């Protein structure tokens, strides 16, 4: 039975999840499990293993899928605490290191402004796009990430070459830059040898032998295994060779390659023959009979290392570097016994397969289901092949697959030798020797009991400066009956010797190079800068890769990566394309945000809506509503109730039935408030005779309008239309509106709202859910002028009392101010800044500067928050209202940190949660507004300019502080909370924006 839990927006590194999967699989009641991120590639893995459930199908790339096959119906009660413990341990470990973490390219580049390299260890399906970002930011790329399509590799390497950068990888497992070990690598003594290698463990074997021979390495530049293919053409290898030729501290160049394409090999050799520095090269799979020209050709990795050391020490190159391997005094194996190689390193496996095949005259190397040799019972397996690592940890990290294979082959009576590699260094298992020894000893014991010989032979790739310590690892193996050789080639020779077979190497002489030499291209200044300084690395992925960089005096900035645009490949392509227009977009956005921060909103009057809005004077009865366009049939209960109330208030009908009949006869039309320079709270229902606040932006004279706050209790904005609601509307029309109008006209200029907002935000308001200070500050400003208005004493008292009691009165003023601010900013505007956020109970609508009046909509969400006694989320209406204009201009939910008193009421938790919310909102904004500074945010200004690019890239959408209406008309407010704008609105907006620039992405 399959059990599934999806942890939303919980991105974890794939290697950690592989280790966690192994832990969950060890639980007794678990038959099989898989914990993976919800990428398409991972879903294919689940499908192939029969674990793809309907819930997993719906997961996004940033969701953690937990799928467990178990007959225990309560298995998740065991699994989830184990997951929490594992991830908690990771979190604690991260905190202990006090490593600063960036969450975007912008942040990482700001935190490490002199960065010159990006190190990638992320899923391959997103790798190419992210590497392109790095290259376009003039960063060299080191890609531990694999599974990049060859055509993408070619494109990236050509881009890197054009920009004078190195593209190391993909599938570049190890490297050394300026003696700094990078990724899965060993600690090597610095020296004068520079290595370029299209092989990870090949580089490790050569560099560690050089170290143990007393030599040193200054650079080991990985190229990735495909670099010498016909398709790629050795782009990185050639650039690296040219750079090392021009790198003064490098005296010797060593080239290591998996079997190359012939024409590409010849081009590389031609370049090597043309440079001035001595060269040793090994093209695995070839058995050179002579050295050619100035290039010394090695047969084995050990030979390459020995030649490099002799060249580095100005020693004469020997005709033969083969050493006989002393054999232990043990029973010789019979002819029927075979050698099995179980390798974690692919290059080491290939070398072993090559030597065994050459000695026995077998068919040679293959590449089939992890086998590199499979002939006459002789098997050599690369357990790091994709068939073994898809969805599982690499065998250098996790011993599980080798434990299984050791048991399998040890139980086969034909097996005489099991050949193993133990790769030490950063990134590798902390103690693979002791992880495998129990299985080795058990196999030795069983073979002894069955009176048959079974020998274990090992090669250890490492140095005494590695975290695991080479000498200690070797001694531990020897103490437990494992034969250990000094190199992989010697381990194979020893294994063959146990069968009585002899390995030899013929002498090699130097033959002249008969090809033509070429003019060596000029070296890139950027590559030379990389090779002549300590690397400054943005580490995109595995945080453990920082350890070796920082320990050896490199600099690194951790980029806690997760898929851009929630893994939406179409959006990623658009974002990449838009980067070509960054300068233009940023200039256009600045024009918009300058208008926002320089706005001068003044409250100047209160008038009947029909005096301000021409559409309300036309013959057809007209009602304004909140949000993007909507018709009667689609409206939710509270908005319909408010429509009924407005029609009764206007005298068009006396009851609900009459209103519905008017609508059926098409006698009432509906227009969004936003289309007529207005905004309205909740349902936003506004009709001709309702008084509206008039706010003028003195920056250009633009005016914005909003109905006045009705106070609390049963109110029209929440859909109530009882007699008391109509009575209050009449009072607003007949008393409060005219009184405020007269009072405002007695002021010299109206009320300067920007100043009032700046003052009130320091007093704990965020202007959506909390307007307590602003409402009182407004009363303080207007009260002296109300006193001067000639009116009935009781009515004056009622006005003053209402304003004093209505904590949220300023919300509607803020809304009108926000409307006039964005309407000014929208004029003749371009760019990606959001100019409207609005909801109508069905759709959430977004408008942006570039496309002006065009709406981009998606289904609105229901708020999450605290409900009044007797109500729950089930009773809540989907979010509605134009009050999100506050968030549009940077307050409300965007400024949650300003109102610690309201955070618990809206369900945000404590102050830390409010701070985290505002910090998150800053990530989708282009800056801060210095006009409105927040003391509780270190006096940073409110968020300025929501940028759809940043919303789509991060997947972070604006948080809206909001009241919660009951889904049935007339019940009113039942709680308050927060709601997220749907991401789809912003995705539609950025696609439309891209089209405006002529970018078409299918």
């Amino acid at each position: 039975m399959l059990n599934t839990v999806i942890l939303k927006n919980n991105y974890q590194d794939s290697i950690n999840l592989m280790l966690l999967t192994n832990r969950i699989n060890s639980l007794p009641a678990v038959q099989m499990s898989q914990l993976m991120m919800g990428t398409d590639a991972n879903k294919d893995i689940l499908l192939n293993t029969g674990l793809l459930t309907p819930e997993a199908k719906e997961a996004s790339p940033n969701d953690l899928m937990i799928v467990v096959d178990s007959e225990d119906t309560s298995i998740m009660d065991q699994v989830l605490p184990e997951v929490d413990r594992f991830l908690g341990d990771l979190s604690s470990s991260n905190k202990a290191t006090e490593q600063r973490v960036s969450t975007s390219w912008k942040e990482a580049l700001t935190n490490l402004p002199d960065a010159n390299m990006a190190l990638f260890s992320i899923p391959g399906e997103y790798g190419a796009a992210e590497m392109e970002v790095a290259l376009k930011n003039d960063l060299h790329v080191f890609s531990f990430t694999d599974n990049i399509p060859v055509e993408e590799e070619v494109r990236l390497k050509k881009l890197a070459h054009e920009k004078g950068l190195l593209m190391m990888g993909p599938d570049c497992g190890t490297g050394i830059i300026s003696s700094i070990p990078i990724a899965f690598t060993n600690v090597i003594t610095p020296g004068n040898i520079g290595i370029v290698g299209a092989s990870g463990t090949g580089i490790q074997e050569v560099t560690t032998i050089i170290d143990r021979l007393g030599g040193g390495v200054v650079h080991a530049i990985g190229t990735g295994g495909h670099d010498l293919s016909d398709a790629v053409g050795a782009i990185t290898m050639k650039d690296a060779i040219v750079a090392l030729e021009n790198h003064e501290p490098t005296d010797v160049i060593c080239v290591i390659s998996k079997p190359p394409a012939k024409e590409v090999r010849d081009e590389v050799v031609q370049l090597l023959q043309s440079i001035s520095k001595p060269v040793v090269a090994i093209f695995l799979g070839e058995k050179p009979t002579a050295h050619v020209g100035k290039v010394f050709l090695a047969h084995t990795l050990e030979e390459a290392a020995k030649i490099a050391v002799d060249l580095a020490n100005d020693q004469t190159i020997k005709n033969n570097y083969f050493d006989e391997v002393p054999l232990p005094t043990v029973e010789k194996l019979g002819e029927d016994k075979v050698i099995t190689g179980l390798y974690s390193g692919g290059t080491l496996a290939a070398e072993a397969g090559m030597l065994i095949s050459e000695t026995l005259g077998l068919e040679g190397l293959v590449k089939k289901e992890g086998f590199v040799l499979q002939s006459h019972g002789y098997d050599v397996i690369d357990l790091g092949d994709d068939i073994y690592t898809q969805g599982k940890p690499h065998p250098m990290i996790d011993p599980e697959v080798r434990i299984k294979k050791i048991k399998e082959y040890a139980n086969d009576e034909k097996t005489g030798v099991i050949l193993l590699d133990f790769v030490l260094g950063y990134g590798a298992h902390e103690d693979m020797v002791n992880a495998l020894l129990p299985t080795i000893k058990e196999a030795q014991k069983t073979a002894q009991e069955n009176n048959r010989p079974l020998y274990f032979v090992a090669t250890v790739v490492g140095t005494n400066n590695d975290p695991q310590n080479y000498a200690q690892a070797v001694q531990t193996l020897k103490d437990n009956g494992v034969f250990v050789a000094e190199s992989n080639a010697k381990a194979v020779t020893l294994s063959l010797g146990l069968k009585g077979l002899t390995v030899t190497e013929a002498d090699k002489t130097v033959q002249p190079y008969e090809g033509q030499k070429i003019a060596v291209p000029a070296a890139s200044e950027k590559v030379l800068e990389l090779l002549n300084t300590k690397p400054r690395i943005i580490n995109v992925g595995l945080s453990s890769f920082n350890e070796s960089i920082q320990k050896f005096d490199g600099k690194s900035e951790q980029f806690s990566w997760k898929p851009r645009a929630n893994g939406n490949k179409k959006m990623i392509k658009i974002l990449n394309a838009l980067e070509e227009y960054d300068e233009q977009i940023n200039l256009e956005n600045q024009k918009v945000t300058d208008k926002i921060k320089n706005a001068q909103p003044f409250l100047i009057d209160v008038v009947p809506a029909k005096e301000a809005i021409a559409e309300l004077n036309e013959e057809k009865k007209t009602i304004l509503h909140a949000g993007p366009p909507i018709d009667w049939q689609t409206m939710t209960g509270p908005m319909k109730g408010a429509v009924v109330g407005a029609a009764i208030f206007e005298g068009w009908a006396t009851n609900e039935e009459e209103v519905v009949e008017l609508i059926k006869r098409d006698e009432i039309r509906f227009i969004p408030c936003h289309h007529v320079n207005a905004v309205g709270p909740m349902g936003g229902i506004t009709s001709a005779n309702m008084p509206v606040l008039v706010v003028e932006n003195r920056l250009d004279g633009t005016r914005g309008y909003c109905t006045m706050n009705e106070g609390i209790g049963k109110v029209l904005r929440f859909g109530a239309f009882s007699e008391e609601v109509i009575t209050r509307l009449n009072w607003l029309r007949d008393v409060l509106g005219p009184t405020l109008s007269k009072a405002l006209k007695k002021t010299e200029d109206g009320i300067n709202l920007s100043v009032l907002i700046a003052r009130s935000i320091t007093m704990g308001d965020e202007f959506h859910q909390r307007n307590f200070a602003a409402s009182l500050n407004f009363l303080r400003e207007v009260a002296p002028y109300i006193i001067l208005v000639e009116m009935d004493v009781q009515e004056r008292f009622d006005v003053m009392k209402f304003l004093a009691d209505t904590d949220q009165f300023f919300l509607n003023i803020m809304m009108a101010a926000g409307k006039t601010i964005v309407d000014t900013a929208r004029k003749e505007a371009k760019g990606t800044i959001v100019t409207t956020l609005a909801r109508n109970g069905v759709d959430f609508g977004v408008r942006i500067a570039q496309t002006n009046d065009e709406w981009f909509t998606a289904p609105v969400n229901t708020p999450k928050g605290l409900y009044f006694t007797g109500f729950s989320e089930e009773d809540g209406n989907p979010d509605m209202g134009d009050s999100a204009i506050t968030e549009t201009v940077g307050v409300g939910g965007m400024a949650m940190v300003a109102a610690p008193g309201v955070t618990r009421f809206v369900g945000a938790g404590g102050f830390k949660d409010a701070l985290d919310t505002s910090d998150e909102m800053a990530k989708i904004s282009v800056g801060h507004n210095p006009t409105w500074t927040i003391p509780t945010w270190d006096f940073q200004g409110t968020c300025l300019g929501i940028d759809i690019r940043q919303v789509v890239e991060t997947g972070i959408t604006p948080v809206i502080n909001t009241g919660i209406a009951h889904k049935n008309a007339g019940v009113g407010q039942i709680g308050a909370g927060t709601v997220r704008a749907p991401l789809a609105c912003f995705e539609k907006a950025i696609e439309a924006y891209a089209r405006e620039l002529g970018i078409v992405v299918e």
Side-chain angles (χ1 to χ4, degrees), residues 623 625 629-645 647 656-657 659-664 668-670 685 721 842 969:
I623 289 178
H625 64 79
I630 191 171
D631 58 35
W632 170 261
Q633 289 75 16
T634 312
M635 290 177 183
T636 58
M639 187 176 284
K640 284 184 174 180
V643 168
V644 171
E656 183 177 3
E657 292 74 18
V659 176
V660 172
E661 191 59 35
L662 287 173
I663 293 170
K664 284 181 180 179
I668 299 177
R669 67 171 177 174
F670 300 101
I685 299 304
F721 55 88
V842 176

Side-chain angles (χ1 to χ4, degrees), residues 926-973:
V926 298
H928 293 271
N929 188 345
T931 307
W932 302 331
T933 59
I934 304 175
T936 50
W937 209 14
D938 290 333
F939 290 92
Q940 290 186 100
T942 53
C943 292
L944 176 65
I946 299 168
D947 189 338
I948 57 171
R949 293 176 300 170
Q950 290 165 228
V951 173
V952 172
E953 169 148 358
T954 62
I956 299 169
T957 60
V959 171
I960 314 296
N961 283 351
T962 186
I964 304 174
H966 197 284
K967 60 188 177 184
N968 296 329
V971 178
Q973 184 174 4

Side-chain angles (χ1 to χ4, degrees), residues 4 45 65 89 103 151 173 198 254 300 306 492 496 572 578 580 775 862 864 892 956 962 983:
T4 307
I45 294 172
M65 305 182 293
D89 288 344
T103 57
E151 59 272 18
C254 176
T300 65
K306 288 181 174 180
V492 177
L496 290 164
I572 292 171
L578 290 179
E580 300 293 331
S775 296
T862 298
K864 307 284 185 184
I956 299 169
T962 186
L983 182 61

Side-chain angles (χ1 to χ4, degrees), residues 319-381:
N319 291 334
N320 199 317
Y321 282 87
F322 180 78
D323 296 325
E324 287 194 12
V325 179
L327 296 175
T329 308
V330 294
E331 178 186 350
K332 191 175 81 171
L333 294 169
E335 288 187 10
D336 61 323
K337 299 298 183 182
V338 296
I339 299 168
T340 295
L342 301 176
Y343 278 86
S344 62
T347 301
L348 301 178
E351 184 180 55
M354 172 189 76
L355 293 172
I356 293 170
S357 181
E358 288 174 354
T359 304
L360 294 170
L362 304 179
E363 289 88 347
L365 300 184
V366 296
K367 189 168 178 60
K368 182 178 66 175
E369 297 178 347
F371 288 95
V372 296
L373 178 70
Q374 190 178 29
S375 178
H376 295 77
Y378 289 85
D379 292 346
V380 178
I381 306 175

Side-chain angles (χ1 to χ4, degrees), residues 63-84:
D63 296 340
L64 173 54
M65 305 182 293
I66 304 173
V67 184
V68 179
D69 187 2
S70 174
E71 295 305 312
D72 185 347
T73 57
S74 62
I75 188 62
M76 285 304 186
D77 293 340
Q78 300 177 50
V79 169
L80 293 180
E82 194 66 34
V83 170
D84 287 342

Side-chain angles (χ1 to χ4, degrees), residues 845-856:
V846 169
R847 298 194 294 186
I848 64 172
Q850 183 84 20
T851 53
N852 209 327
D853 291 336
E854 184 177 358
W855 288 96
F856 304 101

